[in-house]
Amino acid sequence: MADVRVTYDQKANAAYVYFADPQARTQVARMYPCDPVEVGGMINLDFDESGCLIGIEVLAASSKLPQHLLDMAERLDMESS
């Protein structure tokens, strides 16, 4: 099973699922927003220059993603010591 990086900011209630290596600094060339009315929140699909899906941004993440995924996500809202 491939490793997928997931980040989560609980204060913003936003998550990002990376399909491209985040260290590669792949640029988003095109963002396709899903209809917020249809999905009950904003979900954005990010594509690179070749049209490959590189990540998914999920707003209102706590109501859209499974809790176990949010629990294992890298937290962006916690202050580092």
Side-chain angles (χ1 to χ4, degrees), residues 6-7 11-14 17-18 22 30 36 51 56 60 65-66 70 76 80:
V6 179
T7 59
K11 291 177 186 174
N13 195 17
V17 181
Y18 293 83
R30 186 172 59 103
I56 301 173
L65 296 174
L70 298 177
L76 300 178
S80 55

Side-chain angles (χ1 to χ4, degrees), residues 4 6 31 39 44-45:
V4 175
V6 179
M31 185 269 298
V39 296
N44 297 316
L45 306 177

Side-chain angles (χ1 to χ4, degrees), residues 29-56:
R30 186 172 59 103
M31 185 269 298
Y32 177 78
C34 296
D35 186 345
V37 174
E38 290 291 322
V39 296
M42 182 61 75
I43 297 174
N44 297 316
L45 306 177
D46 291 338
F47 296 88
D48 67 9
E49 291 178 358
S50 344
C52 291
L53 182 63
I54 58 172
I56 301 173

Side-chain angles (χ1 to χ4, degrees), residues 48-74:
D48 67 9
E49 291 178 358
S50 344
C52 291
L53 182 63
I54 58 172
I56 301 173
E57 178 185 36
V58 181
L59 305 179
S62 63
S63 67
K64 299 291 161 233
L65 296 174
Q67 186 61 48
H68 74 275
L69 185 65
L70 298 177
D71 290 343
M72 56 99 17
E74 177 184 335

Side-chain angles (χ1 to χ4, degrees), residues 12-30:
N13 195 17
Y16 197 87
V17 181
Y18 293 83
F19 297 120
D21 180 359
Q23 302 303 321
R25 300 192 185 269
T26 306
Q27 295 293 316
V28 174
R30 186 172 59 103

